[in-house]
Amino acid sequence: MKQTDLTSAYGLIHLPAKVTLAAVEKPDGGYNLITLEWFMRTSIQPPMFAISIGHSRYSHECLLESRYFNLIFPSVEMKPLCAMAGSSSGRDTDKLDLGKVDFLPGKLHKLPVPKDAVAVFECEVTSQVRSGDHTIFVGEVRYSWANPDRTLLVYS
Ligand SMILES: Cc1cc2nc3c(=O)[nH]c(=O)nc-3n(C[C@H](O)[C@H](O)[C@H](O)COP(=O)(O)O)c2cc1C
């Protein structure tokens, strides 16, 4: 063990990683997707998830307006969608259309529930905290969806 720079230490723990997608509502109608590695469960009762979103992301703008997100756990088939949603912005792309995402409307705010996902949690934002150049949005799970026939995507 030796003391080192942040990048060298982070490089050793970065992958493999679970990734998620968050679906959010666009202020002018429609929905956006963002790929997220920074998420966690934060409460058992009530069930809650936190997601950390960079201030420069379009999804950040969306979440300040509409306080709902669907946290989507992708299947292996959804890797290309995660790559696309993590490298393009909803400011100039309709990612659901581009990714040909087949989805059901969720129960809480009709946010998309992709049919190929392993699990989806419909969340309502109950608090947020600034964390450097990101904001942590904490959401309470209102509805859950599961697809036991699919295999969870792990990024490596
Ligand atoms: C594997 C992966 C994980 C990512 N994790 C995060 C994350 O946790 N938080 C974040 O703000 N951006 C994350 N990003 C970057 C965003 O997904 C990316 O900037 C996206 O284009 C933002 O889209 P938007 O402008 O439509 O919101 C990640 C990207 C990838 C490919």
Side-chain angles (χ1 to χ4, degrees), residues 19 32-38 52-54 56-60 82-83 85-91 95 134 155:
V19 293
N32 189 39
L33 290 174
I34 177 172
T35 304
L36 296 175
E37 188 184 339
W38 294 354
S52 183
I53 304 215
S56 63
R57 319 290 191 226
Y58 178 56
S59 302
H60 190 273
C82 293
S87 60
S88 57
S89 177
R91 285 193 185 91
K95 300 187 201 179
H134 281 55
Y155 251 57

Side-chain angles (χ1 to χ4, degrees), residues 16-147:
K18 274 194 228 171
V19 293
T20 55
L21 290 159
V24 296
E25 208 167 358
K26 293 185 182 186
D28 54 357
Y31 303 101
N32 189 39
L33 290 174
I34 177 172
T35 304
L36 296 175
E37 188 184 339
W38 294 354
F39 68 92
M40 63 191 280
R41 282 185 75 182
T42 57
S43 168
I44 298 168
Q45 201 50 255
M48 298 176 104
F49 278 101
I51 57 176
S52 183
I53 304 215
H55 295 159
S56 63
R57 319 290 191 226
Y58 178 56
S59 302
H60 190 273
E61 216 173 299
C62 298
L63 272 169
L64 295 180
E65 296 268 329
S66 172
R67 313 291 282 167
Y68 303 92
F69 64 87
N70 279 4
L71 192 61
I72 299 160
F73 286 75
S75 61
V76 288
E77 290 85 357
M78 293 169 74
K79 191 168 184 184
L81 178 65
C82 293
M84 185 269 284
S87 60
S88 57
S89 177
R91 285 193 185 91
D92 35 53
T93 318
D94 182 335
K95 300 187 201 179
L96 285 150
D97 193 43
L98 187 66
K100 297 186 172 49
V101 183
D102 193 10
F103 62 89
L104 304 162
K107 294 183 71 175
L108 181 61
H109 230 238
K110 295 192 167 42
L111 267 74
V113 175
K115 291 182 186 172
D116 281 343
V118 171
V120 177
F121 301 92
E122 294 188 62
C123 299
E124 180 167 1
V125 174
T126 52
S127 63
Q128 68 187 57
V129 58
R130 191 185 169 117
S131 174
D133 56 8
H134 281 55
T135 299
I136 300 169
F137 294 93
V138 182
E140 208 170 302
V141 178
R142 302 288 187 216
Y143 298 99
S144 309
W145 300 73
N147 196 349

